[in-house]
Amino acid sequence: MKTHSSHHTSTLAGPSINQFTTRSHNCGELRISHVGQEVTLCGWLEFSRMNKFFTLRDGYGTVQSIIPEDVCHKFNLDQLAFESILRVTGTVQPRPDGQANKSLPTGGIEIHVSQLEVLNEAKKRLPIHVKDHNRAKENLRLEHRYIDLRNRELQNNLRLRSQVIMKMRECMINDYGFVEVETPTLFRRTPGGAQEFVVPSRKPGHFYSLVQSPQQFKQMLMVGGIDRYFQIARCYRDESTRPDRQPEFTQLDIELSFTDREKVIDLIEHVLIKSWPYDDNPIRGPFPRMTLAEAMERFGSDKPDTRFGYELQNFTKLLATQLTMPEGVRKQDFRAYGVVIRAEQAQKLASGLKKSLEDIAKKSNFCKFTQSQITPDWSSGPIVRLLGKESAEALCEQYSLRPGDLLLLGWGKQTYVQNMMGRIRLAAYEALEMRNLVPARQSHAHNFLWVVDFPMFSENEETGQIESTHHPFTAPHPEDSASLNADFTDNIYNIRSLAYDLVWNGVEIGGGSIRIHNSQLQRMVLQDVLKIEHAHLHHLLDALESGAPPHGGFAIGLDRYVALLCNAASIREVIAFPKSLDENK
Amino acid sequence: MKTHSSHHTSTLAGPSINQFTTRSHNCGELRISHVGQEVTLCGWLEFSRMNKFFTLRDGYGTVQSIIPEDVCHKFNLDQLAFESILRVTGTVQPRPDGQANKSLPTGGIEIHVSQLEVLNEAKKRLPIHVKDHNRAKENLRLEHRYIDLRNRELQNNLRLRSQVIMKMRECMINDYGFVEVETPTLFRRTPGGAQEFVVPSRKPGHFYSLVQSPQQFKQMLMVGGIDRYFQIARCYRDESTRPDRQPEFTQLDIELSFTDREKVIDLIEHVLIKSWPYDDNPIRGPFPRMTLAEAMERFGSDKPDTRFGYELQNFTKLLATQLTMPEGVRKQDFRAYGVVIRAEQAQKLASGLKKSLEDIAKKSNFCKFTQSQITPDWSSGPIVRLLGKESAEALCEQYSLRPGDLLLLGWGKQTYVQNMMGRIRLAAYEALEMRNLVPARQSHAHNFLWVVDFPMFSENEETGQIESTHHPFTAPHPEDSASLNADFTDNIYNIRSLAYDLVWNGVEIGGGSIRIHNSQLQRMVLQDVLKIEHAHLHHLLDALESGAPPHGGFAIGLDRYVALLCNAASIREVIAFPKSLDENK
């Protein structure tokens, strides 16, 4: 096997992407340095004209080819449908003076063809064109994905995805000694979430479920002494057509024993930094950090986009008495926030913005919202009508509001009004961006951010019932765990957990926590606080009593993360065969 | 982030398996060279005595610890249940003279403990003991897998599995430029195999299926220009309790374009050689090769175990007229085979063998079988009775049979008698092994073998209908493809395909083929030969007409391959959370 001995050199020189094929080179790699070499290429006929010139494409690029006059008559290229498969042998030649194409990596050369073989003819009139990736209707493109995938953009996305995930694995396994363990995706059905796919088994009355995450399995691994686990895990969620969701998705799932929050955060930063694909635009740690309280206060979001300012201004103290309290809001929960757009920008904004901000406000419960331009005349104007002259003046003075400035003002129940104003802030900035009134947010900006100190429990917005903010296995913050042990009442919502989210450019790309390893504490959380019938979870409790190390972990949603890395409009652009929207309905 | 800069050195020195934890070292790595160092270890209390000595275990090993007399009183170790979780700080010391334990990697040292903290107490009386891995009942072990997993054997198996698969990935991606693509496991249900799991979706009357393999998706990727695909793919098969099967399993799935059979075989050999985990016992290519015809003729199996001889002897010519033809066998299909066990071994065999060989024979249709010792007296004995004196003598002379030799003789319809005699051969050798009459087969012997030249079609043994031997997308052997294009009749079963199986020590670990890329040929195979309603497969035919390169691939069953690598009794020993047999029922 003569090629065995060559593998070390090939590794050093990059992968041997032509080995085990009938080509000598691929269509993307030929340069001036190859001039004079005889090469064999295989690929798709992208374009031809005059039975003489043609472009051959494969997954690595395109190359211009020429059939010399004296061999032209042997081929009838113009009869051949585009996208047919060819094998071409020829000599690499420099393009004639002045004809080099600098926008194409192979633009300096052309192939002078000596042999041409049609390996597989395509039919004429394909339903979509490879170049129409961004123009053809998505459902048509998904139906004929085998054509759409030839598009350079999708090729790059899928190849980048493979590279990034490989780098993650190299980091996890080779650098840090993690063990990749495949956990089941089919498991015995226990009464579970509404979003669980159920799979009937052959045994009548018995069902499997498809896992929503490997959470329980990875905790079992910790108890089982596989103390550094990770997996690129397929997970399943039965969701109706939420726009950017798929019923199956992939996450980088990590868990380790004998660790703490700081160490997990450090690990995740290392993994992202080492697997970052853009050497010319590297990221560095440590990533900034923010408590959830600060994120909500300044950005009105648990996943703040910190690429721009326009932060929320807290007007609560100033306006506590002037504003009408929305129904159902207790005084201690009342908050008022403003976002200010300066006159010079405000006057150039599209008129549609007003309406779209109002639409956001309408969807927010327990909140009120008003937007108005500061008028030069203090005796009139909506702000004055709303607050009275005195408060309006105080507000303008304190926040240096000047005539023409646009004030976006929201008030109501704390979390609700924060969330509303967070959405208002985003929508306003988008509008400013559209008119080029502010710097555009860069997709490859490095605004990674840790959000920490989530409350351990929160109130379900619909049912009012208590639930875990993260999940029921999340450990309490050590500073607050005393309150959890005590006779908790109303302050239960003040107990912080050891959960942490990672946000990139305003998108949550992952989350994790330190878990509860003490069986009594876990039993109390399940039984006394959450009132979950713990019979369903006795397996976990048994495990925690059988020698369970302290442990914690993290999961990164890879579809979304890679979509952000690729600056793709949808996660469907980084998945080879996504379900179409129709299919999910 | 001070640790960032250190990652290059850590890579060179092996993975940093203690980074991001609260331990300084693990329980398996301490040696004489660490003597004098203060270390912090975390792990499971494996054993303690006299409130003074204890053994701490983690996933990397065990270490002996001693609590010095003057600190003993601070701890009440003997009260603590085994398997409780401890954090121990102490100094590494050499064991006293003569007390080193050479069978333990850490046997030269012990920890003199200065601090001990109980991180999590275990309950007394766990349902299974970690050391009882091979003794406790399997269902009990599976129920408490989080304890069983701490066993050294399972730890090694799962860690080896992760390492081998990582090496495969490094080879595929870094050496050969393959792209790992995640294909769907849930797909729109088309009327499919009986073994398919069906998943109801939210849309009434609409179903997903769980994929049995990514075959169609990987062919679509080839058409889509992802010309070097692989995936460590989860696959699903709804099977009742076949002993060593799981409803979900993992395969290394590979496909590449512009290739041929020799190149795929070469690739797979490279991948296995490079990912082989035993440096002290390496494997080398090229692997031997055998046609299916030869494998059946010599070993009576499509997956011959070539670690031993006792090959089938073809007695057909000699005995064609002497033996009674079993019912339903045409003359041209008649074959007779013998396996000979020499007198010195035959006389030491257990008496039970005769019965078990007869049981094998009873299960074989269209066959007859007899076993008899050659008697010194040629006028009597079963062989003489069966064949007549003349033929019996000729047989003995031609095959040097001597008195006392045991002749295992089978005859009947070709494939059936070959398979029967293959099983007879295996059973006989096992019996010889049990009595130490022959060298035991080594689990790590390197008997890799390619089996090639499978027939493209075969007759279903039950229905008599024609079906694909491999699958309907397998290309015909170029030497035989003319017959496929012609007006095929009876000779359809003589057409060979470009399928190939890889066998290791008598177990099929993978298979693959060159696929049909021509849509007309594919349509003919589906429509004219197999009579499959091709409406179900129009998607594939459409794809083949839209610019489909020649392509081929392979898949290795990783559960079984890793089980063989680990010399494990069952694939359940290399899966973290296998389904128990009960569950599959």
Side-chain angles (χ1 to χ4, degrees):
Chain A
M1 303 189 75
K2 58 184 182 299
T3 43
H4 279 176
S5 55
S6 66
H7 88 262
H8 282 297
T9 44
S10 73
T11 307
L12 290 174
S16 314
I17 43 181
N18 306 311
Q19 203 173 339
F20 313 114
T21 70
T22 55
R23 69 185 175 224
S24 68
H25 294 74
N26 60 65
C27 298
E29 68 181 309
L30 298 174
R31 300 286 182 277
I32 284 289
S33 60
H34 294 89
V35 163
Q37 289 187 30
E38 182 175 78
V39 298
T40 298
L41 305 173
C42 298
W44 285 256
L45 176 66
E46 187 168 76
F47 177 73
S48 73
R49 66 186 165 91
M50 297 164 65
N51 205 30
K52 183 170 160 55
F53 301 100
F54 67 97
T55 311
L56 195 68
R57 188 197 61 238
D58 65 13
Y60 309 91
T62 58
V63 66
Q64 161 104 7
S65 305
I66 291 178
I67 307 180
E69 292 290 349
D70 55 327
V71 283
C72 259
H73 63 276
K74 286 200 257 174
F75 307 110
N76 203 347
L77 207 58
D78 287 352
Q79 290 298 306
L80 195 64
F82 292 165
E83 298 302 314
S84 291
I85 306 288
L86 305 183
R87 182 189 288 125
V88 170
T89 298
T91 314
V92 183
Q93 296 296 344
R95 291 204 190 177
D97 279 350
Q99 289 185 30
N101 177 351
K102 289 197 173 144
S103 68
L104 202 66
T106 61
I109 58 96
E110 58 192 19
I111 309 294
H112 288 205
V113 174
S114 56
Q115 287 176 57
L116 188 153
E117 190 185 348
V118 178
L119 298 178
N120 201 7
E121 204 165 330
K123 65 185 169 194
K124 313 253 177 190
R125 268 191 272 282
L126 295 176
I128 57 168
H129 293 293
V130 174
K131 290 201 168 170
D132 283 352
H133 176 66
N134 291 315
R135 288 192 293 266
K137 280 197 182 152
E138 187 172 17
N139 274 353
L140 198 62
R141 291 199 289 109
L142 289 177
E143 192 184 335
H144 303 279
R145 192 66 162 180
Y146 45 83
I147 301 174
D148 200 31
L149 280 171
R150 294 173 207 159
N151 184 278
R152 185 64 40 214
E153 216 171 294
L154 279 178
Q155 286 278 331
N156 290 344
N157 291 355
L158 292 182
R159 290 168 191 275
L160 185 96
R161 180 177 183 131
S162 172
Q163 283 297 327
V164 168
I165 293 178
M166 184 59 183
K167 281 188 178 182
M168 288 174 167
R169 281 198 164 94
E170 285 173 334
C171 176
M172 296 304 294
I173 295 181
N174 298 344
D175 295 349
Y176 301 134
F178 279 71
V179 180
E180 183 162 23
V181 180
E182 300 161 57
T183 58
T185 57
L186 276 180
F187 70 109
R188 248 178 313 190
R189 180 158 163 75
T190 48
Q195 296 168 325
E196 228 165 61
F197 282 109
V198 177
V199 186
S201 85
R202 300 201 151 202
K203 201 173 175 180
H206 283 70
F207 298 90
Y208 290 113
S209 281
L210 289 172
V211 290
Q212 294 193 50
S213 92
Q215 180 64 33
Q216 287 205 40
F217 291 113
K218 66 180 181 173
Q219 293 196 246
M220 293 296 154
L221 287 174
M222 295 303 110
V223 181
I226 301 287
D227 60 333
R228 299 166 87 77
Y229 148 89
F230 86 105
Q231 183 181 193
I232 307 294
R234 196 73 62 94
C235 305
Y236 300 86
R237 199 172 292 155
D238 190 1
E239 285 184 312
S240 47
T241 343
R242 288 179 61 179
D244 216 15
R245 297 287 177 112
Q246 290 279 317
E248 54 186 315
F249 57 97
T250 305
Q251 64 187 37
L252 168 61
D253 192 51
I254 293 175
E255 195 82 11
L256 71 163
S257 295
F258 307 114
T259 192
D260 57 34
R261 184 180 76 175
E262 297 312 305
K263 294 185 177 65
V264 177
I265 285 179
D266 193 25
L267 164 67
I268 301 304
E269 290 184 359
H270 276 65
V271 174
L272 290 180
I273 289 165
K274 288 188 177 194
S275 63
W276 185 255
Y278 302 111
D279 290 342
D280 54 345
N281 184 19
I283 55 172
R284 286 180 191 85
F287 300 159
R289 213 182 273 201
M290 202 176 275
T291 64
L292 177 71
E294 183 182 349
M296 293 302 291
E297 180 71 16
R298 289 174 54 195
F299 299 95
S301 172
D302 56 2
K303 41 181 188 286
D305 189 341
T306 55
R307 285 175 297 176
F308 65 98
Y310 292 82
E311 296 186 16
L312 276 50
Q313 312 283 344
N314 190 329
F315 296 162
T316 310
K317 267 194 189 158
L318 197 67
L319 306 181
T321 55
Q322 287 75 4
L323 292 165
T324 327
M325 192 86 74
E327 209 170 324
V329 181
R330 292 180 304 179
K331 196 168 179 205
Q332 72 261 40
D333 292 336
F334 175 83
R335 296 290 185 284
Y337 294 95
V339 164
V340 177
I341 297 171
R342 293 298 175 190
E344 53 276 30
Q345 296 168 326
Q347 70 197 12
K348 292 179 194 150
L349 276 170
S351 58
L353 177 64
K354 198 174 164 105
K355 172 78 170 55
S356 59
L357 296 185
E358 265 158 23
D359 286 345
I360 292 171
K362 264 180 213 156
K363 285 178 198 146
S364 308
N365 294 324
F366 307 116
C367 291
K368 292 194 174 183
F369 176 71
T370 186
Q371 48 188 323
S372 51
Q373 214 123 20
I374 306 301
T375 50
D377 175 6
W378 281 114
S379 61
S380 73
I383 294 290
V384 176
R385 281 198 298 277
L386 188 70
L387 306 177
K389 189 159 184 289
E390 199 178 332
S391 294
E393 272 183 3
L395 186 73
C396 288
E397 197 181 307
Q398 195 164 335
Y399 293 94
S400 316
L401 299 184
R402 291 164 309 224
D405 286 359
L406 176 63
L407 174 64
L408 311 174
L409 178 64
W411 66 98
K413 191 172 177 179
Q414 179 170 1
T415 322
Y416 296 78
V417 69
Q418 286 172 334
N419 276 319
M420 176 183 77
M421 290 307 291
R423 283 192 282 268
I424 296 282
R425 167 182 176 263
L426 280 176
Y429 197 82
E430 264 170 42
L432 292 166
E433 257 179 344
M434 296 267 286
R435 294 272 161 147
N436 293 317
L437 298 169
V438 288
R441 287 166 291 173
Q442 296 301 307
S443 62
H444 287 163
H446 298 165
N447 290 57
F448 285 94
L449 174 76
W450 289 104
V451 180
V452 298
D453 288 359
F454 284 82
M456 189 146 164
F457 305 104
S458 40
E459 208 178 80
N460 184 295
E461 292 204 0
E462 280 162 31
T463 65
Q465 281 191 319
I466 191 166
E467 59 187 20
S468 296
T469 308
H470 192 62
H471 59 49
F473 319 114
T474 305
H477 196 291
E479 290 169 17
D480 297 353
S481 59
S483 337
L484 186 57
N485 285 313
D487 185 20
F488 47 81
T489 51
D490 204 38
N491 69 351
I492 188 93
Y493 293 114
N494 294 331
I495 296 171
R496 292 164 300 164
S497 75
L498 288 176
Y500 29 84
D501 275 0
L502 182 57
V503 175
W504 181 25
N505 295 346
V507 179
E508 186 205 319
I509 57 166
S513 65
I514 299 300
R515 328 298 182 182
I516 296 171
H517 63 269
N518 180 290
S519 65
Q520 278 126 308
L521 179 58
Q522 183 68 75
R523 193 173 278 114
M524 186 188 64
V525 166
L526 293 171
Q527 200 168 277
D528 302 337
V529 183
L530 297 171
K531 319 284 186 199
I532 294 175
E533 225 187 301
H534 75 273
H536 303 326
L537 292 158
H538 77 94
H539 195 63
L540 174 69
L541 292 170
D542 271 357
L544 294 186
E545 287 176 342
S546 307
H551 60 285
F554 201 75
I556 294 177
L558 287 180
D559 301 302
R560 190 162 313 162
Y561 178 62
V562 174
L564 288 174
L565 279 177
C566 294
N567 195 19
S570 149
I571 61 167
R572 293 186 297 281
E573 298 295 302
V574 298
I575 297 173
F577 301 100
K579 267 77 167 171
S580 66
L581 292 178
D582 286 353
E583 234 172 320
N584 286 352
K585 262 176 203 156
Chain B
M1 304 191 74
K2 57 185 183 297
T3 43
H4 278 177
S5 54
S6 66
H7 88 264
H8 282 298
T9 45
S10 74
T11 308
L12 290 174
S16 313
I17 43 180
N18 306 310
Q19 203 173 341
F20 314 114
T21 70
T22 54
R23 70 184 175 226
S24 69
H25 294 75
N26 60 64
C27 298
E29 69 181 307
L30 297 175
R31 299 287 182 276
I32 284 289
S33 61
H34 293 89
V35 163
Q37 288 187 30
E38 183 175 79
V39 297
T40 298
L41 305 173
C42 299
W44 285 256
L45 177 65
E46 187 168 75
F47 177 73
S48 74
R49 67 187 166 92
M50 297 165 64
N51 204 32
K52 182 168 161 49
F53 301 99
F54 67 94
T55 310
L56 195 68
R57 188 197 62 237
D58 65 12
Y60 308 91
T62 59
V63 67
Q64 160 103 6
S65 305
I66 292 178
I67 307 179
E69 292 291 348
D70 56 327
V71 284
C72 259
H73 64 276
K74 285 200 255 171
F75 308 108
N76 203 348
L77 207 58
D78 286 352
Q79 290 298 306
L80 195 64
F82 291 166
E83 297 303 314
S84 290
I85 305 288
L86 305 183
R87 182 190 286 124
V88 170
T89 298
T91 314
V92 183
Q93 296 296 343
R95 291 205 190 175
D97 278 351
Q99 290 185 28
N101 178 350
K102 287 196 175 144
S103 67
L104 202 67
T106 62
I109 58 97
E110 58 191 19
I111 309 295
H112 289 205
V113 175
S114 56
Q115 287 175 57
L116 188 153
E117 190 186 347
V118 178
L119 298 178
N120 202 7
E121 204 165 329
K123 64 184 171 195
K124 312 252 179 194
R125 268 192 274 279
L126 295 176
I128 56 168
H129 293 293
V130 174
K131 290 201 168 173
D132 283 352
H133 177 66
N134 291 313
R135 288 193 292 265
K137 280 198 180 150
E138 188 173 17
N139 273 352
L140 197 64
R141 291 198 289 109
L142 289 177
E143 190 183 337
H144 303 280
R145 192 67 162 180
Y146 44 83
I147 301 175
D148 200 30
L149 279 172
R150 294 172 207 159
N151 184 277
R152 184 64 43 216
E153 216 171 296
L154 279 179
Q155 286 278 331
N156 289 344
N157 290 357
L158 292 182
R159 290 169 191 276
L160 184 95
R161 180 178 182 130
S162 171
Q163 284 297 328
V164 168
I165 293 178
M166 183 60 182
K167 281 188 178 182
M168 287 175 168
R169 281 198 164 93
E170 286 174 334
C171 177
M172 296 304 292
I173 295 180
N174 299 344
D175 294 349
Y176 301 134
F178 279 71
V179 180
E180 184 163 22
V181 180
E182 300 161 56
T183 58
T185 56
L186 276 180
F187 72 109
R188 250 177 313 188
R189 181 159 162 73
T190 47
Q195 297 169 325
E196 228 165 59
F197 281 109
V198 177
V199 185
S201 85
R202 300 200 151 202
K203 201 172 175 182
H206 283 70
F207 298 90
Y208 290 114
S209 281
L210 289 172
V211 290
Q212 293 193 50
S213 92
Q215 181 65 34
Q216 287 205 40
F217 291 113
K218 66 180 181 174
Q219 292 196 247
M220 293 297 154
L221 287 173
M222 295 303 111
V223 182
I226 301 286
D227 60 333
R228 299 166 86 77
Y229 148 90
F230 87 104
Q231 184 182 193
I232 307 294
R234 196 72 63 94
C235 305
Y236 301 85
R237 198 173 293 155
D238 190 1
E239 284 184 311
S240 47
T241 343
R242 289 179 61 180
D244 217 15
R245 296 288 177 111
Q246 290 280 316
E248 53 186 316
F249 56 97
T250 305
Q251 65 186 38
L252 167 61
D253 193 51
I254 293 175
E255 195 82 11
L256 72 161
S257 295
F258 307 115
T259 192
D260 57 33
R261 185 181 73 176
E262 297 311 305
K263 293 183 177 66
V264 177
I265 284 179
D266 194 25
L267 164 67
I268 301 305
E269 290 183 359
H270 277 65
V271 174
L272 290 181
I273 289 165
K274 287 189 177 193
S275 64
W276 184 255
Y278 302 112
D279 290 343
D280 53 347
N281 184 19
I283 55 172
R284 286 180 192 87
F287 299 159
R289 214 183 273 201
M290 204 177 274
T291 64
L292 177 70
E294 183 183 351
M296 294 301 291
E297 179 70 16
R298 289 176 52 196
F299 300 94
S301 173
D302 56 2
K303 40 182 190 288
D305 189 340
T306 54
R307 286 175 296 176
F308 66 97
Y310 293 82
E311 296 185 16
L312 276 48
Q313 312 282 344
N314 191 329
F315 296 162
T316 312
K317 266 194 191 160
L318 197 66
L319 306 180
T321 55
Q322 287 76 5
L323 293 165
T324 329
M325 192 86 73
E327 209 171 326
V329 181
R330 293 179 303 179
K331 195 166 180 208
Q332 72 262 38
D333 293 335
F334 175 82
R335 296 290 184 283
Y337 294 95
V339 165
V340 177
I341 298 172
R342 292 300 174 188
E344 53 276 31
Q345 295 168 328
Q347 68 197 13
K348 293 182 191 146
L349 275 169
S351 57
L353 177 63
K354 197 173 164 103
K355 171 80 172 55
S356 60
L357 295 186
E358 265 157 23
D359 286 345
I360 292 172
K362 265 181 214 155
K363 287 179 199 143
S364 309
N365 294 325
F366 307 117
C367 292
K368 292 194 175 179
F369 175 72
T370 186
Q371 48 189 323
S372 52
Q373 215 125 18
I374 306 300
T375 51
D377 174 10
W378 280 114
S379 61
S380 72
I383 294 290
V384 177
R385 282 197 297 276
L386 188 71
L387 306 176
K389 189 161 182 287
E390 199 177 331
S391 295
E393 273 183 3
L395 186 74
C396 289
E397 197 182 306
Q398 194 164 338
Y399 294 94
S400 316
L401 300 183
R402 290 164 309 223
D405 287 357
L406 176 63
L407 174 64
L408 311 174
L409 178 64
W411 66 97
K413 192 171 177 180
Q414 178 169 4
T415 322
Y416 296 78
V417 68
Q418 286 171 334
N419 277 318
M420 176 183 76
M421 290 307 290
R423 283 191 282 270
I424 296 282
R425 167 182 176 262
L426 279 176
Y429 197 83
E430 264 169 41
L432 292 166
E433 255 179 346
M434 296 264 286
R435 294 273 160 144
N436 294 316
L437 299 169
V438 288
R441 287 166 290 174
Q442 295 301 309
S443 62
H444 287 162
H446 298 165
N447 290 57
F448 285 94
L449 174 76
W450 289 106
V451 180
V452 298
D453 288 0
F454 285 81
M456 189 147 165
F457 306 104
S458 39
E459 207 179 81
N460 183 296
E461 292 203 2
E462 282 163 29
T463 64
Q465 281 193 319
I466 191 166
E467 60 187 17
S468 297
T469 308
H470 193 61
H471 58 50
F473 319 115
T474 305
H477 196 293
E479 289 169 17
D480 297 353
S481 58
S483 338
L484 185 58
N485 284 312
D487 185 20
F488 46 81
T489 51
D490 204 37
N491 69 352
I492 189 93
Y493 294 115
N494 294 331
I495 297 171
R496 293 164 300 163
S497 74
L498 289 175
Y500 30 84
D501 275 1
L502 182 56
V503 174
W504 181 25
N505 294 347
V507 179
E508 186 205 319
I509 57 166
S513 65
I514 299 300
R515 327 298 183 183
I516 297 171
H517 62 269
N518 179 289
S519 65
Q520 279 125 305
L521 180 58
Q522 183 68 76
R523 193 172 278 115
M524 187 189 61
V525 166
L526 293 172
Q527 200 167 278
D528 301 337
V529 182
L530 298 170
K531 319 285 186 200
I532 294 175
E533 225 188 299
H534 74 273
H536 304 325
L537 293 158
H538 77 94
H539 195 62
L540 173 70
L541 292 170
D542 271 356
L544 295 185
E545 289 177 339
S546 306
H551 60 286
F554 201 75
I556 295 177
L558 287 181
D559 301 303
R560 188 160 315 160
Y561 178 63
V562 175
L564 288 174
L565 279 177
C566 294
N567 195 20
S570 149
I571 60 168
R572 293 187 297 281
E573 299 295 303
V574 298
I575 296 173
F577 301 101
K579 267 77 167 172
S580 65
L581 291 178
D582 286 353
E583 233 172 320
N584 287 353
K585 263 175 204 154

